[in-house]
Amino acid sequence: MENSEMKSFMNAWILAIASFCYCYFISSSIPKGFFRLLSLLPVIFLFTALPLPLSSFHLCGTTAFFLFWLANFKLLLLSVGRGPLSPPPESLLHFICAASLPIKIIQNPRPNSDKSVRKLAFLIKALSLAALLKIYQYRQSLHPNVVLALYCCHVYISAELVLALGAAPARVIGLEIEPQFNEPYLATSLQDFWGRRWNLMVSSILRPTVYFPIRGLTARRLGPTCARLVAMLAAFAVSGLMHEVIYYYVTRVAPTWEVTWFFVLHGVCTAAEVAAKKAAGERWRLPPALSRPLTVGFVAVTGFWLFFPQLVRNHVDDRAIGEYSVLNEFVKEKTLQLLPLYSPRN
């Protein structure tokens, strides 16, 4: 990654942190409602623009996800006195962490959290990612579907690692945060996969911004059951649109709506699954040995069809893999420069 790219990345996050300081002041001085929203709108517009100067897949994609999606949704909730920023934490540092990072702070943390298990899991995933990068050297000789299966593993592993690294500053200052993933490969249904296991930071922010408001607005007219299904579809549709915008940030190509349809399809299937389970009760449930591979297989196959084509067609996969190679060479170079400083003197 060029120095200019790193400089743009640093500038974007300096502006973001300064903006969060402003938001902290706004939250304590302007009551919730229209005028607070009006005061926060410039920051929301700024966060929409901050990823644009970035061209690196990892830096641009991460900045877009953290700021354009998660932070903006948190600020919208803050404007009406809801969400993870309301009431605002007493500490400005805690507010910045909660607003800018993909975390949900545990209000009453348990005294015994197993940090060694978390570190071991991180190490295993880092080694798995390194193994994937090694296998990618032979991509040209692999079947395209095998490559896409590897990409599925890559998305999961890299998402876990990025979110864990993003949460690291919060852990350093002593905040206890909720898990960001919960072993999605063990999901027994689409509802289980999307609602309780995959990228829990997204589901935790979509519920108060999309799901609960839509369900509340439609419950009286449609009834509680239909309102729940409509709200579920709306949450998946919004998730698809957010992914579509992030795809634009990293490709700078006009949307083709494939990734939006991926999430709409999963919304329809999840809603149908929920309705079927409600109608059939326990008789509908499959044993985990069957439901787990069916669930993960469905996510993977529909991902081959709708999630990955935009990225592969615009060579985002090549850019992402290339950035790992550049990072590897950078680390090697810096290590070789530092070795003489620590070598024993004659």
Side-chain angles (χ1 to χ4, degrees):
M1 296 178 204
E2 299 178 358
N3 289 334
S4 59
E5 181 75 3
M6 287 302 301
K7 185 177 180 181
S8 297
F9 178 71
M10 295 292 291
N11 288 340
W13 278 93
I14 289 171
L15 280 172
I17 291 171
S19 299
F20 287 127
C21 294
Y22 163 79
C23 294
Y24 182 72
F25 168 75
I26 290 297
S27 66
S28 60
S29 57
I30 299 179
K32 65 181 181 180
F34 175 75
F35 289 107
R36 182 186 285 187
L37 174 62
L38 201 63
S39 302
L40 294 175
L41 280 179
V43 176
I44 292 172
F45 291 139
L46 175 65
F47 286 174
T48 304
L50 282 181
L52 290 174
L54 302 172
S55 58
S56 158
F57 167 75
H58 290 92
L59 299 184
C60 179
T62 302
T63 301
F65 177 54
F66 286 15
L67 296 181
F68 165 72
W69 187 351
L70 295 185
N72 275 350
F73 275 39
K74 291 174 185 177
L75 293 180
L76 288 173
L77 289 171
L78 176 64
S79 69
V80 294
R82 297 179 182 176
L85 303 180
S86 187
E90 294 183 4
S91 164
L92 172 61
L93 185 58
H94 289 185
F95 180 89
I96 292 173
C97 285
S100 64
L101 303 179
I103 63 172
K104 187 175 181 182
I105 300 172
I106 299 176
Q107 300 300 328
N108 299 304
R110 292 172 295 180
N112 297 321
S113 59
D114 198 341
K115 297 181 181 179
S116 59
V117 173
R118 189 167 62 237
K119 290 178 181 177
L120 178 61
F122 184 89
L123 177 60
I124 291 172
K125 289 181 175 65
L127 292 174
S128 300
L129 180 59
L132 278 175
L133 295 175
K134 191 70 176 177
I135 296 171
Y136 286 153
Q137 296 177 8
Y138 308 98
R139 269 190 306 163
Q140 302 304 322
S141 58
L142 296 175
H143 190 278
N145 288 339
V146 174
V147 175
L148 288 175
L150 294 174
Y151 285 175
C152 288
C153 299
H154 189 149
V155 166
Y156 164 57
I157 293 169
S158 61
E160 276 234 49
L161 292 174
V162 166
L163 266 68
L165 289 172
R171 296 190 189 279
V172 167
I173 64 173
L175 294 176
E176 285 292 329
I177 63 174
E178 294 186 3
Q180 297 159 309
F181 281 83
N182 182 23
E183 299 176 320
Y185 45 83
L186 297 180
T188 56
S189 67
L190 290 175
Q191 184 184 20
D192 185 33
F193 182 89
W194 293 113
R196 293 185 285 270
R197 292 185 180 274
W198 180 265
N199 201 346
L200 301 177
M201 298 304 101
V202 167
S203 55
S204 70
I205 205 69
L206 283 174
R207 286 190 189 99
T209 52
V210 181
Y211 179 81
F212 292 139
I214 296 294
R215 192 179 70 176
L217 287 172
T218 57
R220 181 175 296 180
R221 179 170 298 181
L222 301 177
T225 300
C226 287
R228 182 186 180 196
L229 298 178
V230 169
M232 191 181 301
L233 288 171
F236 274 97
V238 170
S239 179
L241 291 173
M242 292 298 103
H243 279 83
E244 199 74 59
V245 176
I246 292 174
Y247 274 30
Y248 172 76
Y249 281 124
V250 298
T251 63
R252 305 303 161 90
V253 174
T256 57
W257 309 109
E258 288 156 294
V259 71
T260 299
W261 283 113
F262 171 82
F263 284 97
V264 170
L265 172 64
H266 276 261
V268 171
C269 293
T270 304
E273 176 190 272
V274 169
K277 283 193 289 188
K278 185 175 180 61
E282 293 297 326
R283 295 172 296 165
W284 191 84
R285 297 186 186 277
L286 298 174
L290 184 58
S291 60
R292 282 171 178 164
L294 283 175
T295 300
V296 175
F298 181 79
V299 174
V301 170
T302 52
F304 293 180
W305 175 32
L306 293 170
F307 188 87
F308 290 111
Q310 283 175 266
L311 300 177
V312 174
R313 189 165 53 244
N314 294 290
H315 307 289
V316 175
D317 54 336
D318 296 326
R319 284 168 50 201
I321 295 167
E323 286 176 15
Y324 283 113
S325 300
V326 171
L327 178 62
N328 185 44
E329 291 301 319
F330 175 80
V331 171
K332 283 183 179 179
E333 179 185 341
K334 294 302 179 182
T335 302
L336 291 174
Q337 290 177 357
L338 292 173
L339 279 177
L341 299 177
Y342 295 96
S343 59
R345 298 179 179 178
N346 296 328

